[in-house]
Structure formats: structure tokens, C-alpha cells
Amino acid sequence: MSLLESIDKNKLPGHIAIIMDGNGRWAKQKGSMRIFGHKNAVTSVREAIEGCAELGVKYLTLYAFSTENWRRPQEEVNALMELLVYTVRSEVSELNKNNITLLTIGDTNSLPEVCQRELKEAIEITKNNSRLVVVIALSYSGRWEITKAAQKIALDVQAGKLNPEEIDEQKFNSYLTTAALPDPELLIRTSGELRISNFLLWQIAYTELYITNTLWPDFRKKDLYEAIINYQKRERRFGKISEQVANQ
């Protein structure tokens, strides 16, 4: 039985998030500059999107550029921004043809204007699609998002729009950039690193983690299938015991 045939289509994670790590190490192994790894990672992004769409996964969030990544050498940052513009421009028609919506989360106002324009145009073009929602996290970090939500809540309380007693998990969640999205059920991290790198800190409270040693530029559909198969073997209890879950 193939990997694809081993997947139970009735138990798919509705939302998969991926920390795309290992581009620099992959390039170094090839004796090339880091940007070579980033360029080759575009194929991996395409494979992940196609794999999720073909299976029937409804949401895919990709960690593309963190707020901490601005600290990288300026030459690398500039090359990444140029690659972002090129990739969005070249892929938007394919996304639209395949009924896929593109969204972003993060401090996108900090991106170069040309990046902002390309992203806004792609989001507008694909906004009515319904097969799969692809969310690109750009200039994003979990702490940044939570801090911004707290600031907005404080301003609403100060303005008399919100009573402090109304603030619960659901209310706080409504102030996050991901308010319209379900929490991820599966988080995949490539390159074997055992950390979550400030990604979706609020949202992954009960997310299943899957770590693969595969470097991101080598990630293909089979790697996605392996992660989903591993996920489907787990028991998700959400604080309950096994007997309670079995009796639901």
C-alpha cells in the first residue's frame, strides 16, 4: 500500500501549519549561497500546497519570514523580498486556477511596498476561492501577534468599547490576526530542529507536533503524507483520558 493510500481521508487535519526550515543548510551542503536554498524551496511550497489541496485539507499556514528574520544580513533579506515578489507574481494564476485562496498574517506593513502591492493583488484575485486557504506568515511572530492583540484590547477597554470582565479566551482570540482561522491540528517542522520558533504561540496549544529531519528544499508530497499518517495514529485527548475519548 502506498503512502497516499494509507491516509484516512475521513481523519484529515483540517489545518496544517509548517515551519519551513533548513534552506541555508541545504544550500551549504550544495556549496552554494543561502539564497540558492530559498529559491529551491519554492518547489517545496508548491508540493505542500498541491498535496493539501489534493487530499482535501482546508487550511495550510506556512511560516515564511519571522520578525526575527529582519536581523539577517541585508543582502539575504533583500534577496528574499525579491524572491517573494517573483513567486507571488508567478504563482497567483495557478492558485486561482486551482480554486485556492491566498491570505497573509504578520506585520506586512513592514514589507517593501512592491511586496505589499503584489500580496494585496494576489489576495484580491483569489479571495472568492474555496478549495484551500493558504496563509503565508510574513514578518510574523507569535509574541508580536499576542502583544498587538493585547494593545487593541487595552485601547477598546480605554475607549469604553469593551468591559474587562468580557475578556475570555474566545474574546482574546477575536483580536488575533488568525481570528477567522481554525487552530492548526498538525504542525510540521522540517530540518530536525526541536523548537517552535515563536510561531502561532496562542494557536498551537493543542496542536500535534511532527518533526522531520528533511531539509525544507527537499520536502515533497511523500513527506507531507508521512506527517499526516503519523498524526492519524495519535490519540487527541484535549485533557481527557483515553476512556473518555473512546466513549465520545
Side-chain angles (χ1 to χ4, degrees):
M1 182 182 292
S2 69
L3 287 172
L4 181 57
E5 292 170 334
S6 299
I7 293 175
D8 185 345
K9 298 291 183 64
N10 296 313
K11 295 182 180 179
L12 288 172
H15 183 177
I16 296 175
I18 303 179
I19 300 175
M20 306 181 293
D21 192 27
N23 295 349
R25 271 166 286 170
W26 186 88
K28 187 176 181 180
Q29 290 176 3
K30 307 292 183 184
S32 300
M33 296 178 65
R34 292 175 59 85
I35 191 59
F36 180 67
H38 297 311
K39 289 179 178 177
N40 279 273
V42 174
T43 299
S44 304
V45 171
R46 194 178 295 123
E47 289 265 322
I49 292 173
E50 288 180 1
C52 285
E54 290 164 0
L55 284 170
V57 174
K58 290 302 181 183
Y59 296 89
L60 172 66
T61 298
L62 302 172
Y63 201 11
F65 192 85
S66 72
T67 54
E68 291 82 5
N69 288 155
W70 290 113
R71 302 171 189 166
R72 292 187 175 185
Q74 192 60 49
E75 182 181 359
E76 181 176 350
V77 171
N78 291 342
L80 280 168
M81 293 299 112
E82 291 176 8
L83 179 61
L84 173 62
V85 170
Y86 172 80
T87 303
V88 172
R89 189 176 291 163
S90 60
E91 296 292 331
V92 64
S93 60
E94 193 69 18
L95 291 174
N96 199 41
K97 184 177 74 174
N98 287 290
N99 197 22
I100 296 170
T101 298
L102 180 69
L103 295 176
T104 61
I105 55 172
D107 184 16
T108 53
N109 289 331
S110 65
L111 299 174
E113 287 188 11
V114 63
C115 293
Q116 295 183 47
R117 285 199 305 272
E118 291 295 332
L119 288 166
K120 286 178 181 177
E121 184 176 335
I123 289 169
E124 179 64 25
I125 290 172
T126 63
K127 68 179 182 180
N128 294 320
N129 295 335
S130 58
R131 185 182 185 190
L132 169 68
V133 176
V134 175
V135 184
I136 308 296
L138 291 162
S139 192
Y140 173 90
S141 79
R143 287 184 175 181
W144 167 86
E145 181 182 30
I146 291 169
T147 300
K148 286 295 179 182
Q151 290 173 347
K152 292 176 185 177
I153 289 171
L155 288 171
D156 280 354
V157 169
Q158 188 178 49
K161 298 178 181 178
L162 179 65
N163 190 315
E165 283 71 32
E166 296 179 84
I167 302 171
D168 55 14
E169 287 187 18
Q170 186 174 359
K171 177 61 69 174
F172 192 91
N173 189 74
S174 70
Y175 281 82
L176 296 172
T177 60
T178 56
L181 306 173
D183 290 342
E185 292 164 281
L186 172 63
L187 172 63
I188 300 169
R189 176 163 192 145
T190 60
S191 86
E193 298 291 348
L194 302 177
R195 57 179 179 271
I196 55 176
S197 297
N198 207 355
F199 185 44
L200 299 175
L201 298 180
W202 174 275
Q203 297 86 346
I204 62 171
Y206 278 100
T207 298
E208 298 294 326
L209 307 181
Y210 177 83
I211 311 297
T212 173
N213 289 323
T214 301
L215 300 177
W216 179 245
D218 288 327
F219 191 91
R220 295 295 181 266
K221 290 179 187 178
K222 69 175 183 61
D223 299 289
L224 176 68
Y225 299 159
E226 287 173 353
I228 293 173
I229 291 168
N230 183 280
Y231 163 86
Q232 291 184 337
K233 293 177 180 177
R234 303 184 191 184
E235 180 181 70
R236 307 196 74 214
R237 297 192 298 272
F238 299 98
K240 298 178 181 179
I241 63 174
S242 297
E243 288 77 9
Q244 289 176 299
V245 174
N247 292 328
Q248 285 182 343

